[in-house]
Amino acid sequence: MTITSRTFERFVSLLKERKKTCVVVEQCCGGLIQASILAQPGASAVYFGGSVSYNTRKAKLLLLNSDELHQSLIQKQFTDSTAGYIQSKLHWTAETSIAYCQAMGTDFAIAEGGASGPTFRPSDMKTGFAVISVAGKGEDGTISLLGQDIVHSPTNNREENMRYFANAAASFAIHTICKGKDPCLHLDKMEVKSAESLVLDRATHVRTDEAKLEELEKAAQFIILQDCRSLLVRSDTPSTRLAFLTHEEVIAIGGNQRKTFLGIRSKDTPVFAVDILDEKFRIPRGTEIVDTRTTAPLLDTIENELALHATAYAAWQRRNKYCSLCGGTTTVIDGGTCLQCSKCAAKSWPRQDPSMICAVSSRDGERILLARSPRHPEKLHTTLAGFVEAGETLEAAVAREAFEETGVRIDEGSVQYVGTQPWPFPQSCMFGFLATADEKQPLHIDANELLSARWFTKEEVAKAATVEGPTMQKGVALAALERDPTLPLLIPPKGVIARRLIDQWLTGSWKYSRSN
């Protein structure tokens, strides 16, 4: 089994162009990364080989027969939760990528570790994931970890996950080797991600323990919200970091506060959200309150999750002051994660409304259908989106929304799932898809939903992909157009699922196919 994709083709050609070499060590991909590299012409010039080490305790020989490496992998202790298991793979892939790069004398080493399904060891894990680590040799010859990423799957299907994770490994390797500036991928600048920056343990077992929550507050980090805005570290450029306050600093800012327990980061750091319910608070020096919707995409993985997690709870709490059963007032309990009626004692929890978002491609993969809505800045075009109606499948919603908004009938059987993103504005979860359609169909724009829609070429979208920053903000969009009036369009920034769909289409990492 191999993957024939532009991603692996680009990876091998990139190594050849730069006269670099690599080695691979895998776990749950079962050798698929290595097989897919070897399937590319000329791979022997850049690929030294690799190993598949599925059972660490029994695979010392496959781990360079190194006592030091083997002991470092089996002696490190982690919790039995999903978060703990992911942390163990962050450690495993970091250690093995560095060790293999050193032992084999290559320029780069890719390590993959995770769980592909269909069953999982942590009882709270239901779907697959993989951690990808890339180690490399610096100019001075020093081997170091260059980058890590976590890839989550929505399924527990082993074969599907193996293919998904292998392709993700090649894509992340390109991203890392090019430091986010590969002209063929149009990826933003990347940085090395640590375990702390990638994993949040939501610690659901703590939520009902009031004494424990009170104890955790004293050593916690707090993020501050006010309506749909978040407190960020002030910057001359658009802010890209949440402002974390201490317990004492939260007390000092004043205001009518409502706290919600979000979870525990690595190094046992509790994190709470504080929703300011009035205007009577003091913004700390060096910080600013900004719109979460347009700035969250600029945050790193864990801070983006925290911002959206906190916003979802705050918005839900604000909208549900009264019981839906009897009309009694509700009270926040369980660390802010549950509401209980003061009259009938009924409990309620947050919900998410499903919505679809889809990149519609021409059948040959050379054009993409993008649209502009009244709320978007000038020339900002994005993928089609809409809510899933009651009793409707996600695939049917994709077809319906595409036709209702643009008059385009997508190809039957072409809808392919990509991933999800929470979007608590106010309470959506967006399901991302790719689909194909005949671009020769006439467009019939729904003027109540859209200002315009049209098919864009890869050259046009590639040029738009070079624009950095929160392009959903009118000021940023206007500045980009002033710098380059020839831009045919603007597209959403990295960090939102619309851009992920566009990038997947742009790089050709999606195989264009239709079911018979």
Side-chain angles (χ1 to χ4, degrees):
M1 182 169 67
T2 63
I3 297 176
T4 303
S5 73
R6 295 187 188 181
T7 308
F8 276 101
E9 179 184 347
R10 175 58 185 153
F11 176 62
V12 172
S13 65
L14 176 65
L15 292 176
K16 291 164 67 176
E17 289 167 10
R18 301 194 176 196
K19 298 181 179 179
K20 302 295 183 181
T21 57
C22 80
V23 64
V24 177
V25 57
E26 302 176 52
Q27 276 197 326
C28 69
C29 281
L32 186 54
I33 300 172
Q34 299 170 64
S36 300
I37 292 173
L38 288 172
Q40 304 302 318
S44 60
V46 297
Y47 178 60
F48 277 27
S51 175
V52 179
S53 176
Y54 190 66
N55 187 319
T56 300
R57 292 191 175 275
K58 299 179 180 179
K60 177 186 169 186
L61 288 173
L62 297 174
L63 293 167
L64 303 171
N65 200 25
S66 166
D67 288 327
E68 181 181 358
L69 175 61
H70 192 241
Q71 289 301 311
S72 74
L73 297 178
I74 64 175
Q75 290 183 353
K76 185 77 172 180
Q77 298 296 312
F78 298 92
T79 65
D80 293 331
S81 66
T82 293
Y85 193 54
I86 293 174
Q87 288 173 347
S88 75
K89 297 306 177 183
L90 284 162
H91 172 73
W92 193 95
T93 57
E95 293 291 312
T96 54
S97 63
I98 293 171
Y100 268 75
C101 199
Q102 290 174 333
M104 300 298 292
T106 54
D107 296 292
F108 301 102
I110 303 170
E112 170 275 321
S116 56
T119 58
F120 303 97
R121 185 174 63 189
S123 59
D124 59 340
M125 181 179 291
K126 305 301 180 184
T127 58
F129 81 96
V131 174
I132 314 297
S133 293
V134 178
K137 187 185 301 180
E139 294 182 1
D140 61 354
T142 303
I143 306 297
S144 63
L145 181 66
L146 301 181
Q148 287 187 296
D149 200 13
I150 300 175
V151 183
H152 290 281
S153 165
T155 179
N156 65 353
N157 184 293
R158 180 184 290 265
E159 183 174 343
E160 287 182 13
N161 284 340
M162 290 171 66
R163 291 182 179 276
Y164 181 47
F165 299 151
N167 202 66
S171 180
F172 185 68
I174 296 171
H175 189 187
T176 308
I177 293 169
C178 294
K179 298 180 180 178
K181 295 299 180 182
D182 180 22
C184 293
L185 288 184
H186 308 284
L187 292 169
D188 289 338
K189 181 180 179 181
M190 66 153 286
E191 59 186 48
V192 175
K193 300 174 181 177
S194 64
E196 183 174 0
S197 71
L198 289 169
V199 177
L200 172 69
D201 181 356
R202 300 203 178 193
T204 56
H205 62 284
V206 177
R207 293 174 177 175
T208 57
D209 189 337
E210 292 186 13
K212 181 65 175 179
L213 290 174
E214 186 175 344
E215 176 188 339
L216 290 177
E217 281 191 29
K218 298 174 184 177
Q221 293 180 331
F222 294 82
I223 63 175
I224 309 302
L225 307 173
Q226 188 184 50
D227 202 3
C228 285
R229 299 184 297 163
S230 302
L231 188 71
L232 271 64
V233 176
R234 186 184 297 279
S235 173
D236 293 334
T237 57
S239 299
T240 59
R241 288 189 297 136
L242 284 174
F244 290 97
L245 304 188
T246 65
H247 186 246
E248 291 74 18
E249 289 170 331
V250 168
I251 295 173
I253 65 174
N256 182 11
Q257 302 180 1
R258 180 161 55 201
K259 297 184 181 73
T260 299
F261 175 64
L262 301 181
I264 299 175
R265 300 178 70 172
S266 296
K267 300 180 181 178
D268 298 324
T269 304
V271 185
F272 287 77
V274 176
D275 187 18
I276 306 295
L277 304 176
D278 57 23
E279 299 293 335
K280 299 177 181 179
F281 79 105
R282 293 175 290 277
I283 298 178
R285 181 179 299 177
T287 65
E288 59 183 336
I289 288 279
V290 297
D291 180 30
T292 307
R293 180 195 292 262
T294 57
T295 56
L298 303 180
L299 305 176
D300 68 18
T301 302
I302 189 66
E303 292 194 7
N304 177 277
E305 179 181 351
L306 285 169
L308 297 182
H309 186 28
T311 299
Y313 273 115
W316 168 70
Q317 291 163 356
R318 285 173 177 255
R319 289 195 317 274
N320 292 273
K321 298 177 181 179
Y322 302 98
C323 176
S324 61
L325 297 178
C326 72
T329 57
T330 57
T331 303
V332 174
I333 62 172
D334 295 350
T337 64
C338 180
L339 293 176
Q340 185 170 35
C341 178
S342 60
K343 186 176 180 180
C344 70
K347 293 181 179 180
S348 61
W349 292 266
R351 72 175 195 186
Q352 296 189 95
D353 297 330
S355 60
M356 52 66 53
I357 183 167
C358 182
V360 180
S361 168
S362 59
R363 291 170 178 171
D364 61 4
E366 294 302 315
R367 294 177 182 273
I368 188 171
L369 180 61
L370 300 175
R372 179 173 173 240
S373 81
R375 68 177 180 275
H376 290 153
E378 183 180 356
K379 286 195 175 182
L380 194 289
H381 287 71
T382 186
T383 49
L384 304 178
F387 286 103
V388 180
E389 295 192 347
E392 184 177 42
T393 66
L394 292 163
E395 294 83 356
V398 170
R400 175 182 54 77
E401 286 286 348
F403 180 72
E404 288 179 354
E405 294 190 353
T406 67
V408 170
R409 296 283 189 186
I410 63 170
D411 293 325
E412 185 177 355
S414 71
V415 178
Q416 296 186 28
Y417 172 80
V418 174
T420 61
Q421 180 178 45
W423 199 243
F425 307 103
Q427 57 183 40
S428 295
C429 182
M430 305 186 76
F431 290 76
F433 298 91
L434 294 162
T436 61
D438 180 1
E439 74 273 25
K440 296 183 178 64
Q441 297 178 69
L443 294 177
H444 298 289
I445 310 300
D446 181 355
N448 294 320
E449 296 285 341
L450 304 176
L451 294 176
S452 63
R454 76 174 181 89
W455 295 92
F456 290 92
T457 66
K458 281 199 168 180
E459 290 73 21
E460 291 174 316
V461 177
K463 187 172 184 179
T466 63
V467 178
E468 298 183 350
T471 49
M472 305 294 279
Q473 296 179 7
K474 290 185 178 180
V476 173
L478 180 60
L481 295 174
E482 288 178 347
R483 286 193 302 269
D484 185 358
T486 67
L487 282 169
L489 78 158
L490 295 171
I491 57 177
K494 292 285 184 180
V496 297
I497 194 167
R499 180 60 178 270
R500 178 181 172 188
L501 298 173
I502 292 171
D503 281 347
Q504 201 157 333
W505 167 81
L506 186 62
T507 61
S509 58
W510 174 47
K511 183 179 179 181
Y512 307 102
S513 63
R514 286 184 294 157
S515 301
N516 293 326

